Amino acid sequence: MNLIEEFNEYRSQMNEKILAEDNKVIKRIFNLDTNAYAEGSVDIKSKEMIGLACSMVLRCDDCVKYHLGKCHEVGLTKEQIFEVFSIATLIGGTIVIPHLRRAAEYWETLENQ
C-alpha cells in the first residue's frame, strides 16, 4: 500500500469509529469542518490553500496530507503548492521546514500516482 492509500484508509477507518460513538460535539465539529471548506464567497481552491498553509504553520502532518490531497483533487499546480509552502514557512519559521519536507514528498507522491 502506498503512502496516500495508507493515510486515506487510516483516516477513513478512524473517522468512522469516532463518529460511530455518536458524540454530538464531535459530530458538530466534523460538520463545521466539512462546511467550512464548501464553496462559498471564497472558492474551494483558495480555501484548501488557506487550510494547507494553516496546517503547516500549526505543524499538523495529518492535516497537511489531507489538504494536499484536496489541493490535488481541485487541480492546483505544483507552482501554486510551492507558493503556499513558501508563505507557510515564512509565517511559521524554520520549525516548519521538517513539515515542508514531508509535504513536498507527499505532493510528489500525489503527482506520481
Side-chain angles (χ1 to χ4, degrees):
M1 187 177 326
N2 75 29
L3 186 63
I4 297 163
E5 290 170 346
E6 185 178 309
F7 172 73
N8 287 329
E9 184 178 309
Y10 176 77
R11 183 178 179 279
S12 216
Q13 181 183 55
M14 292 311 299
N15 282 354
E16 283 180 33
K17 286 182 180 186
I18 291 165
L19 291 171
E21 293 300 319
D22 203 29
N23 180 284
K24 183 172 28 174
V25 174
I26 291 172
K27 282 187 169 187
R28 286 182 177 176
I29 290 169
F30 275 52
N31 183 273
L32 281 171
D33 183 65
T34 298
N35 284 307
Y37 290 95
E39 189 75 33
S41 298
V42 176
D43 64 279
I44 291 174
K45 284 183 178 184
S46 296
K47 287 182 177 187
E48 288 303 334
M49 288 188 283
I50 292 165
L52 174 59
C54 291
S55 297
M56 289 185 72
V57 171
L58 291 170
R59 302 184 307 270
C60 177
D61 286 333
D62 279 6
C63 299
V64 170
K65 287 177 182 175
Y66 174 79
H67 288 292
L68 282 171
K70 289 296 188 180
C71 286
H72 188 262
E73 283 178 25
V74 298
L76 289 166
T77 66
K78 183 177 185 176
E79 292 75 21
Q80 290 171 311
I81 291 299
F82 271 81
E83 282 192 33
V84 174
F85 287 171
S86 67
I87 292 166
T89 306
L90 173 67
I91 293 168
T94 57
I95 198 164
V96 173
I97 292 173
H99 304 276
L100 172 62
R101 289 183 190 117
R102 288 188 287 275
E105 174 189 25
Y106 198 78
W107 182 258
E108 185 177 83
T109 305
L110 285 165
E111 286 188 310
N112 293 322
Q113 69 175 358

